[in-house]
Amino acid sequence: MQKAMLAYIHVVDGMNRFIGRIVMYLIFVMIGVLLWSSSSKVFLTPANWTLETAQFLMVAYFILGGPYSIQMGSNVRMDLFYGNWSLRTKAWVDAFTVFFLIFYLAILLVGGLGSLAYSLGYFGPEPFQFLGSLTWTFVTEGKGAAREMLGYLERSPTAWRPVMWPIKLLTCIGVFLMILQALAEFFRDVTCLREGAD
């Protein structure tokens, strides 16, 4: 069991570190988009895609950087008490409170998947069944068959009108990765408690 937990921690930490280190450079892409937005308003015809693209990049930056932030311990804590505790006490408290985080992220993921189904044109009562059959159709029958299952795609109500499903899919992926990282943190705390670190 201990080896399985350590292997899980190693795989999830490595994956989220890799994603986080790539995603942190999106801040420069976002700066470039906003710089183009500002300069096009002064010197050229204003581009209607820039502000919404910057918003999408900000969502990707935060949601995909979240698991790496959890891993690095840069999330907000009440350090007034926490900072003075021993490693063992911190592990006990973290092992308990991580379940509140996982519960919150699970609710967020359920809502995100429902919103993703809506953005793909599904308005019925079973969004998870729709997403499951859409994924299965895409894997077994290809892109064309999956496209036939889609309804009216949700679009942003702006002048640019981009489809919304890519950013909603990215949000669901980011929340799922945060759940995996929260479980890795729980296993790390359990390992710390078993080894009796102080």
Side-chain angles (χ1 to χ4, degrees):
M1 185 68 170
Q2 184 79 5
K3 285 184 180 179
M5 285 195 300
L6 291 174
Y8 177 85
I9 292 169
H10 180 72
V11 169
V12 171
D13 278 357
M15 177 179 61
N16 284 331
R17 184 180 304 112
F18 176 76
I19 293 170
R21 288 183 182 241
I22 290 173
V23 166
M24 70 181 178
Y25 293 107
L26 283 180
I27 194 77
F28 298 112
V29 178
M30 188 173 58
I31 290 170
V33 168
L34 290 173
L35 185 64
W36 175 257
S37 175
S38 299
S39 61
S40 70
K41 287 176 184 171
V42 174
F43 301 111
L44 305 166
T45 304
N48 63 358
W49 57 268
T50 53
L51 292 179
E52 204 153 20
T53 300
Q55 290 171 350
F56 291 161
L57 287 169
M58 180 66 83
V59 169
Y61 177 75
F62 276 107
I63 203 75
L64 292 176
Y68 185 56
S69 177
I70 292 171
Q71 182 185 130
M72 300 303 292
S74 57
N75 50 317
V76 177
R77 285 196 171 102
M78 187 64 180
D79 279 342
L80 179 65
F81 302 109
Y82 188 88
N84 295 325
W85 292 344
S86 68
L87 288 177
R88 190 167 177 77
T89 305
K90 288 178 183 178
W92 272 111
V93 172
D94 289 345
F96 174 71
T97 57
V98 75
F99 289 108
F100 295 104
L101 174 63
I102 292 171
F103 176 74
Y104 170 74
L105 290 172
I107 296 295
L108 202 61
L109 183 60
V110 168
L113 289 172
S115 183
L116 174 63
Y118 179 85
S119 71
L120 291 171
Y122 179 77
F123 308 114
E126 298 293 335
F128 305 111
Q129 185 177 355
F130 166 75
L131 290 172
S133 61
L134 180 67
T135 304
W136 179 254
T137 303
F138 179 77
V139 170
T140 58
E141 299 177 35
K143 185 170 50 173
R147 189 177 294 127
E148 289 177 10
M149 294 180 66
L150 302 178
Y152 179 76
L153 298 180
E154 179 187 14
R155 292 184 172 273
S156 173
T158 60
W160 184 36
R161 294 189 45 79
V163 291
M164 297 299 292
W165 71 264
I167 197 64
K168 290 186 177 187
L169 176 63
L170 199 65
T171 302
C172 292
I173 291 170
V175 171
F176 180 71
L177 291 174
M178 276 193 262
I179 291 173
L180 294 181
Q181 188 62 48
L183 284 172
E185 296 302 312
F186 173 71
F187 291 149
R188 187 175 285 115
D189 292 330
V190 168
T191 303
C192 177
L193 292 171
R194 282 187 175 175
E195 293 176 356
D198 282 321

